[in-house]
């Protein structure tokens, strides 16, 4: 039989040290950070494939939008400095183009002239007064809503980066922009900074800040509780090493999966720390109990009884050190394996999500959990056998306060099982309709609180300029030159008129706008000619002589593909999808002939997450339930027992969704992870409780006696573990970043709910069902009234 | 007609493997005045030598014999990766006036929907330029401001500035080195605008063949940027009526990889093109130039 004590202590120590350091260092050196919309879309999805194809022909839609306000906004001093900022940013290697008054094409005409010139560069500026400059910007076809507010109170520019590889590059672009503002001294005039680049930079900062706060916080809470419970330096040091190893392994798995660190996978470090503490508690409990108690308690009792009162002072002294560890190991390694497998199963269910970060989180955390089990069950025993000297402290008195509520709940469940079950079912049934209220919605701006600069910037830009959610409608024709033809351009024009009338659409830009401006310019700016010409050859000639840049961002040079750019004032995936659906419905009803159309851009990629979230959540929950049920079947070798154990683990998921429906919490990127994580962790307690119960039943005890004794021993352990884990997740609830906060609070809710089901509903279920199947499936029991001693 | 050199012929052949057949309208459109210069003595003796030598070279290029007038027929081919090339047919006419004024007329003849579209450019002796564009569908021409140097001429990789005359004294020229380009000895000349506002380019580097005085390659830099963003390559040079003439060249946008090949299919020099051919009336009436087409 395998025995971890056969591992040489020095080798065990070496393994622990290497595992504590190497994966973490390797992950730190190779982990990339990327929170862009593309990172959340399966690379082979149609939208992602089309997006990559589109970007080979047209620039991306990611921008940094900055708006300025002030009394001298149109004066030389400010505009000169703004031009310097544009020049600096144009030179930046990560920047593709800066859309600013001096870089945007302005089409104009006179009695005998026509020109496409910069909207407002230094040469034009010098011949205009500030009032004329303002009027020029406001009168331009393309600037209002993009570079100037309708009331002229804001001037804006948009920095468009090249395709960026990660969030650090976005941070760099934002930093370079703010530096440029600082160098020319107009940072005081900056009133809003938004768009995908600053949004991602803000998410990165929030994610890193949370990691810097909460990883040490959860680690300190775990270590403090271990110190309080066991008062052993070796226990503390080993715990620290195991936590490092678990976090490092999970992060390194992320690297090997080719996935970046995102706001989703940022959950990994605190999650792994919490799971480490949970598993370590069982080993340390066992060691403490073996030392204090008799060998009789070192079995199931060791697992269960953090505070078992059966302290026999002299026994530990007589047990050889390695024998003590061996007995503790014998007590925990099977339930530890079971719980590791079930936790990994819960986590691996996340890999059913097609959203790459959620998918990767599940796999990385599952690998981390298995590493945890290997270290705790197979490496630490040799270390403790060799170097663990001295006595283990008795658990602090504080933990005794847990006895009373545990006993009360257990008695209630056992004495009034039907009532408990009926009330539970009644409550769940009453709350169940609220599950329908759970909205599947993701809004990246909603991740921040209302007073966060990015939220306020977004509001200001949406109110004064236009929404920053970019959506593209791409039209493709079967042959080149199609979009020089009047018929096709009228289709685009018709679509523009229709879509511009929608409330959520702040701004529409099409190639038809450019043609209309050229027609107007060629007719000495006669307003009646600001329209699409009636003649196809004239359109072809306008397009032939067009010498600006902006047209080529709207149509390819073959005039075979054109895109309509929309700025939406909505940010939620579901809202965006509703707009996409409306656009598709409209276009499908139009006589487009051979024209094909597709939606693309940030809005499309982000909107696709809605469906992926729903599908991932349903498939993930089914997989989690299925895997855990199979594992229960393997562990208990009883269909009824496996079914019974599923109840206290699936019900918390219902409760989480009921609470989400009640409080209007969306099912989004952050909350989609909760069910898998919660069920994976919560099932541990069920296994520990039911393991003890079954063992006593197999020893011939009655159901009542077995339940009472099990809860007497296991109650404190499961309560202590849940409280520690909940404390670690609850502290995430203090985050200013909503994904972290909601994940922490709801996971803690799930764990506490699972504990209540274990302490109250599980005994009730056992009592109700015991008569039905225990008599058949186990050895003849003694009188249910008990009277035996264990 | 003799090729410029065997090696160049070889280079042209290799280039043609990648490019559609085409032709160059007029050498002056692209090359004749790309390299010109003004020399300002600088402090170090070697630097001063380089400037003096550079200006002299630029002046020789500017003075290169190219006839009093010329009429050409050619093709402009616009290409980008993965796309079918777009081909335009055109005629072009050039006339040098007695006072140093240079006039150019370009008339497109294909594809059909842009046939007869024309561009008239008058480069005055004082360095100023007038440009008009004619749209046959509107039957009217419109003046294009000379400040629009950076505009892309009919969507090609040629800027309007590339079509304009540029005086030698508008740039500070510096001779950099001798360099063998595709097996041919060239002299490398740097030209930087004295007035940065006078050019869309911050710097140009030209590889000039010392015997024909034709820039075989020109790299174009944006102001303040260390790397060129556009490159002109001359792939074929022929001697026509005693004048060295570029008959195949490619202007390439180094960022987008988009390129414009200009192939000169036929050129006739010194036909005494009349001054009236370079007026707004002639621009609006393609029939006036038809008898002067090669």
């Amino acid at each position: 039989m395998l025995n971890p004590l056969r591992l040489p202590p020095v080798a065990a120590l070496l393994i622990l040290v290497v595992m504590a350091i190497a994966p973490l260092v390797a992950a730190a050196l190779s982990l990339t950070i990327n929170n862009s919309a593309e990172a959340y879309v399966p690379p082979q999805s149609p939208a992602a494939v089309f997006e990559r194809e589109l970007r080979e022909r047209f620039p991306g839609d990611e921008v940094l939008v900055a708006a300025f306000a002030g009394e001298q906004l149109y004066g030389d001093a400010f505009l000169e400095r703004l031009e310097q900022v544009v020049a600096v940013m144009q030179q930046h290697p990560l920047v593709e183009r800066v859309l600013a008054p001096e870089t945007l094409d302005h089409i104009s005409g006179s009695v005998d002239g026509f020109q496409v010139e910069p909207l407002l560069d230094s040469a034009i500026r010098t011949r205009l007064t500030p009032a004329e400059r303002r009027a020029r910007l406001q009168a331009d076809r393309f600037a209002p809503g993009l570079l100037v507010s309708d009331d002229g109170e804001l001037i804006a520019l948009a920095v468009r980066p090249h395709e960026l590889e990660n969030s650090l590059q976005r941070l760099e672009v934002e930093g370079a922009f703010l530096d440029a503002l600082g160098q020319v001294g107009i940072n005081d005039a900056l009133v809003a900074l938004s768009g995908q680049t600053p949004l991602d930079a803000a998410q990165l900062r929030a994610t890193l800040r949370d990691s810097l706060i909460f990883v040490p916080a959860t680690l300190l809470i775990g270590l403090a509780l271990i110190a309080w419970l066991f008062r052993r330096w070796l226990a503390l040091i080993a715990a620290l090493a195991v936590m490092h190893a678990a976090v490092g392994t999970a992060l390194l798995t992320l690297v090997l999966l080719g996935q970046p660190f995102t706001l989703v996978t940022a959950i990994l470090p605190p999650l792994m720390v919490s799971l480490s503490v949970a598993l370590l508690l069982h080993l340390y409990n066992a060691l403490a109990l073996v030392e204090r108690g008799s060998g009789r308690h070192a079995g199931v009792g060791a697992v269960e009884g953090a505070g078992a009162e059966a302290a026999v002072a002299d026994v530990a002294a007589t047990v050889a050190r390695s024998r003590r560890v061996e007995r503790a190991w014998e007590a925990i390694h099977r339930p530890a394996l079971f719980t590791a497998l079930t936790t990994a199963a819960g986590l691996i269910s996340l890999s059913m999500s097609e959203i790459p970060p959620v998918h990767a989180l599940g796999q990385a955390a599952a690998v981390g959990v298995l590493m945890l089990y290997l270290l705790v069950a197979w490496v630490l025993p040799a270390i403790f056998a060799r170097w663990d000297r001295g006595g283990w402290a008795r658990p602090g008195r504080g933990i005794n306060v847990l006895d009373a509520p545990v006993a009360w709940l257990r008695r209630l469940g056992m004495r009034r099982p039907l009532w408990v079950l009926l009330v539970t079912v009644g409550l769940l049934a009453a709350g169940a309709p609220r599950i329908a209220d759970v909205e599947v919605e993701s809004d990246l701006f909603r991740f921040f609180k209302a007073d966060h600069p990015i939220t306020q910037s977004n509001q200001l830009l949406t109110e004064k300029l236009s929404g920053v959610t970019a959506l593209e409608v791409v039209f493709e024709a079967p042959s080149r030159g199609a979009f020089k033809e009047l018929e096709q351009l009228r289709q685009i024009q018709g679509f523009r008129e229709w879509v511009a009338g929608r409330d959520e659409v702040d701004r529409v830009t099409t190639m038809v706008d450019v043609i209309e401006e050229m027609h107007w310019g060629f007719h000495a700016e006669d307003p009646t000619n600001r329209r699409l010409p009636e003649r196809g050859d004239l359109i072809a000639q306008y397009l032939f002589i067009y010498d600006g840049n902006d047209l080529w961002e709207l149509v390819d040079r073959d005039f075979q593909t054109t895109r309509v750019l929309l700025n939406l004032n909505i940010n939620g995936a579901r809202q965006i999808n509703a707009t996409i659906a409306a656009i598709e419905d409209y276009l499908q009803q139009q006589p487009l002939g051979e024209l094909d159309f597709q939606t693309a851009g940030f809005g499309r990629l982000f909107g696709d997450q809605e469906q992926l979230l729903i599908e991932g959540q349903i498939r993930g929950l089914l997989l989690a339930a299925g895997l855990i049920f199979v594992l229960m079947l393997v562990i208990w070798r009883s269909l009824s027992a496996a079914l019974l154990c599923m109840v206290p683990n699936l019900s918390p998921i219902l409760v989480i969704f009921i609470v989400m429906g009640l409080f209007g919490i969306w099912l989004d990127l952050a909350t989609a992870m909760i069910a898998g994580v919660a069920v994976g962790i919560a099932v541990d307690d069920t296994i520990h409780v039911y393991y003890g119960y079954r063992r006593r039943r197999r020893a011939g005890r009655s159901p009542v006696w077995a339940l009472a004794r099990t809860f007497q021993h296991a109650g404190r352990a499961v309560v202590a573990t849940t409280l520690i884990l909940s404390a670690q997740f609850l502290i995430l609830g203090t985050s200013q970043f909503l994904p972290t906060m909601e994940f922490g609070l709801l996971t803690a809710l799930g764990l506490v709910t699972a504990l209540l089901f274990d302490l109250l509903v599980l005994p009730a279920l056992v009592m109700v069902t015991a008569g039905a199947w225990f008599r058949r499936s186990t050895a003849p029991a003694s009188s249910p009234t008990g009277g035996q001693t264990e | 007609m003799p090729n410029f050199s065997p090696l160049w012929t070889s280079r042209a052949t290799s280039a043609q493997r990648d490019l559609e057949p085409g032709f160059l309208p007029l050498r002056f459109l692209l090359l004749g005045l790309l390299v010109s210069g003004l020399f300002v003595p600088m402090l170090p003796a070697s630097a001063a030598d380089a400037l003096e030598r550079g200006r002299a070279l630029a002046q020789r290029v500017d003075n290169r014999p190219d006839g009093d007038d010329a009429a050409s027929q050619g093709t402009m081919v616009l290409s980008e990766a993965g796309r079918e090339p777009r081909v335009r047919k055109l005629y072009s006419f050039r006339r040098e006036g007695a006072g140093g004024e240079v006039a150019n007329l370009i008339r497109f003849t294909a594809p059909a929907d842009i046939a007869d579209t024309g561009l008239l450019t008058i480069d005055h002796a004082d360095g100023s330029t007038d440009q008009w564009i004619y749209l046959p569908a509107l039957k009217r021409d419109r003046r294009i401001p000379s400040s629009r140097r950076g505009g892309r001429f009919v969507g090609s990789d040629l800027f309007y500035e590339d079509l304009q005359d540029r005086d030698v004294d508008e740039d500070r020229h510096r001779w950099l080195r001798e360099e063998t380009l595709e097996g041919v000895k060239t002299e490398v000349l740097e030209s930087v605008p004295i007035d940065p506002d006078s050019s869309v380019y911050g710097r140009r580097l030209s590889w000039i063949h010392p015997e024909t005085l034709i820039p075989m390659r020109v790299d174009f830099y944006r102001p303040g940027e260390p790397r060129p963003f556009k490159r002109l390559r001359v792939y074929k040079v022929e001697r026509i009526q005693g004048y060295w003439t570029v008959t195949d060249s490619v202007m390439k946008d180094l960022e987008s990889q988009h390129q414009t090949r200009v192939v000169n299919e036929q050129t006739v020099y010194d036909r005494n093109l009349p001054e009236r051919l370079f007026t707004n009336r002639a621009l609006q009436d393609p029939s006036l130039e038809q008898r002067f087409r090669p």
Side-chain angles (χ1 to χ4, degrees), chain A residues 178-199:
Chain A
L178 293 174
D179 285 349
L181 291 188
Q183 282 167 11
V184 302
I186 57 170
N187 36 358
D188 289 345
L190 180 70
V191 292
L193 188 66
S194 189
Q196 291 164 50
T197 304
L199 175 62

Side-chain angles (χ1 to χ4, degrees), chain A residues 696-697 699-705 778-788:
Chain A
R696 290 180 176 86
R697 285 287 294 142
R701 310 302 184 192
S702 73
V704 171
W705 191 92
T778 60
S782 304
S783 162
T785 54
Q788 308 95 327

Side-chain angles (χ1 to χ4, degrees), chain A residues 715-781:
Chain A
R716 273 190 199 169
V718 296
V719 171
T721 309
T722 301
L723 291 185
I724 291 169
L725 286 169
S726 299
Q728 288 175 310
F729 283 111
L730 274 176
I731 198 168
L732 301 180
T734 62
S735 170
Q736 297 298 302
F737 192 42
L738 253 63
T740 311
M741 187 189 84
E742 289 177 346
F743 176 78
L745 293 179
L746 288 175
T747 306
L749 169 74
L751 295 182
V752 171
T753 308
L755 177 69
L756 283 175
F757 272 82
D758 281 333
L759 297 182
L760 185 64
V761 179
L762 186 61
L765 277 172
V766 168
M767 291 304 296
V768 168
T769 57
W773 52 270
F774 265 106
R775 279 189 293 273
R776 291 199 308 268
S777 62
T778 60

